[in-house]
């Protein structure tokens, strides 16, 4: 077992830090507080060579708060707070777009943790973009507009993601497009960059055009980190200050991660 000393290095100039020389099993409270601070400061963290199984992930996840149970996701046998993210093929993936997790919930999750189990030899990267920077660098005109906006999120009647035919869609939540992070007090853009989002008070085509405008700004390369997975990696992100995008470029190859998601506040 490695010593619980902590070394951190930034992953880019804008988002993310890697924590080195640390074992996530059995962290003491002081080290956990350091990790929490690093997480809040950097929007997402990477820990290599952890090889967490479902029990380890559950124990680590519980340090962060109450579990958010993702609607319609089946937990792992014996681990009610942990789900599997598997390759469902390019056509079946629901995470290959810029999003913040379960934004269709009235009280979406604060953070998510992925523990890599099997990774393809190449491909299957995950990208992250800093939404504090996205907000702070908006032009004054767009920032003033963003402050007034609320976005409606829709699911099909069976609570599936709206893909293509939206005729059976129902609104399950609406949230402000700018939210104040409950722990850091910083403002961030809070949007899933998805054509099915509807901005209140705008027509469907206006809404799409405005969301596309924010998306182009908010996910520009200078705000992003792209994670290339290795077996044993643990990556966690703050859904209140970052969006992410799971790249599906690995065909039918096996890719398996375990995920835990932690409850958050009503966005304000
Ligand atoms: O599979 C990944 O890399 C990320 C999955 C994802 O987007 C999610 O769990 O929300």
């Amino acid at each position: 077992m490695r010593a619980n000393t902590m070394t951190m290095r930034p992953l880019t100039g804008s988002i993310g830090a890697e924590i080195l020389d640390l074992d996530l099993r059995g962290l003491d409270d002081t080290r956990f507080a350091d990790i929490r601070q690093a997480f809040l400061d950097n929007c997402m963290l990477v820990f290599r060579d952890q090889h967490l199984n479902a029990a380890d992930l559950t124990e680590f996840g519980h340090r962060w708060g109450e579990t958010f149970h993702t609607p319609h996701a089946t937990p792992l046998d014996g681990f009610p707070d942990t789900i599997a993210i598997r390759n469902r093929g390019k056509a079946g993936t629901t995470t290959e777009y810029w999003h913040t997790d379960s934004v269709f919930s009235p009280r979406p999750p604060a953070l998510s943790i992925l523990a890599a189990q099997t990774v393809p030899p190449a491909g299957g990267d995950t990208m992250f973009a800093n939404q504090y920077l996205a907000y702070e660098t908006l032009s004054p005109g767009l920032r003033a507009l963003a402050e007034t906006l609320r976005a409606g999120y829709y699911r099909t009647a069976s609570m599936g993601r709206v893909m293509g035919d939206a005729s059976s869609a129902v609104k399950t939540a609406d949230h402000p497009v700018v939210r104040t992070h409950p722990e850091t007090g910083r403002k961030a853009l809070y949007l899933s960059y998805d054509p099915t989002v509807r901005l209140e008070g705008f027509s469907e085509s206006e809404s799409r055009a405005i969301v596309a405008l924010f998306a182009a700004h908010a996910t520009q390369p200078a705000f992003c980190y792209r994670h290339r997975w290795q077996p044993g990696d643990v990556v966690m992100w703050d859904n209140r200050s970052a969006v992410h995008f799971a790249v599906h470029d690995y065909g039918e190859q096996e890719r398996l991660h375990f995920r835990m998601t932690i409850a958050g506040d009503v966005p304000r």
Side-chain angles (χ1 to χ4, degrees):
M1 183 155 165
R2 282 162 290 178
N4 262 348
T5 53
M6 182 165 134
T7 314
M8 185 171 81
R9 70 170 172 223
L11 290 166
T12 69
S14 58
I15 183 169
E18 180 175 357
I19 309 288
L20 303 141
D21 304 323
L22 186 90
D23 190 335
L24 291 177
R25 295 173 195 80
L27 289 173
D28 65 34
D29 289 347
T30 307
R31 196 57 72 216
F32 182 72
D34 293 342
I35 293 177
R36 181 187 284 279
Q37 194 56 54
F39 178 68
L40 293 173
D41 292 343
N42 293 283
C43 304
M44 51 99 38
L45 294 177
V46 169
F47 308 87
R48 299 278 191 189
D49 294 324
Q50 298 297 322
H51 299 278
L52 298 191
N53 60 26
D56 300 327
L57 176 61
T58 303
E59 190 183 329
F60 178 59
H62 282 157
R63 302 285 300 260
W64 294 86
E66 172 201 335
T67 305
F68 174 93
H69 292 104
T70 304
H72 297 274
T74 309
L76 294 176
D77 271 354
F79 297 97
D81 295 334
T82 304
I83 62 172
I85 306 283
R86 292 178 194 284
N87 186 3
R88 294 198 275 167
K90 181 95 174 160
T93 185
T94 56
T95 53
E96 199 179 27
Y97 71 108
W98 286 107
H99 65 282
T100 172
D101 285 333
S102 297
V103 69
F104 52 83
S105 303
R107 192 161 73 92
L111 63 103
S112 306
I113 310 169
L114 279 189
Q117 306 298 308
T118 308
V119 301
D125 297 353
T126 312
M127 302 192 292
F128 299 88
N130 182 330
Q131 299 303 284
Y132 291 133
L133 279 181
Y135 169 76
E136 288 159 8
T137 56
L138 285 170
S139 64
L142 271 187
R143 194 177 322 149
L145 173 66
E147 298 272 5
T148 66
L149 295 174
R150 288 190 75 84
Y153 294 95
Y154 291 76
R155 306 293 278 171
T156 63
S158 62
M159 283 298 285
R161 181 160 173 239
V162 180
M163 317 270 278
D165 176 17
S167 52
S168 71
V170 287
K171 185 160 85 171
T172 54
D174 59 74
H175 299 303
V177 164
V178 176
R179 73 179 290 185
T180 303
H181 194 291
E183 292 180 79
T184 67
R186 292 176 69 186
K187 286 185 173 184
L189 271 186
Y190 188 68
L191 257 178
S192 264
Y193 299 106
D194 171 342
T196 64
V197 175
R198 291 284 169 273
L199 297 175
E200 287 180 7
F202 291 87
S203 71
E204 188 173 329
S205 60
E206 288 167 342
S207 182
R208 276 178 198 250
I210 298 168
V211 171
L213 186 65
F214 282 118
H217 171 78
T219 61
Q220 60 185 276
F223 300 161
C224 294
Y225 164 69
R226 180 168 176 148
H227 185 69
R228 181 163 190 193
W229 291 91
Q230 294 172 9
D233 284 357
V234 171
V235 173
M236 58 187 300
W237 60 89
D238 191 333
N239 285 304
R240 304 157 297 183
S241 62
V243 287
H244 59 286
F245 184 118
V247 180
H248 200 297
D249 58 353
Y250 51 100
E252 302 306 315
Q253 294 181 89
E254 200 181 342
R255 181 180 187 271
L256 172 65
H257 291 78
F258 291 161
R259 187 177 107 168
M260 228 181 130
T261 309
I262 307 302
D265 304 86
V266 174
R268 293 180 207 291

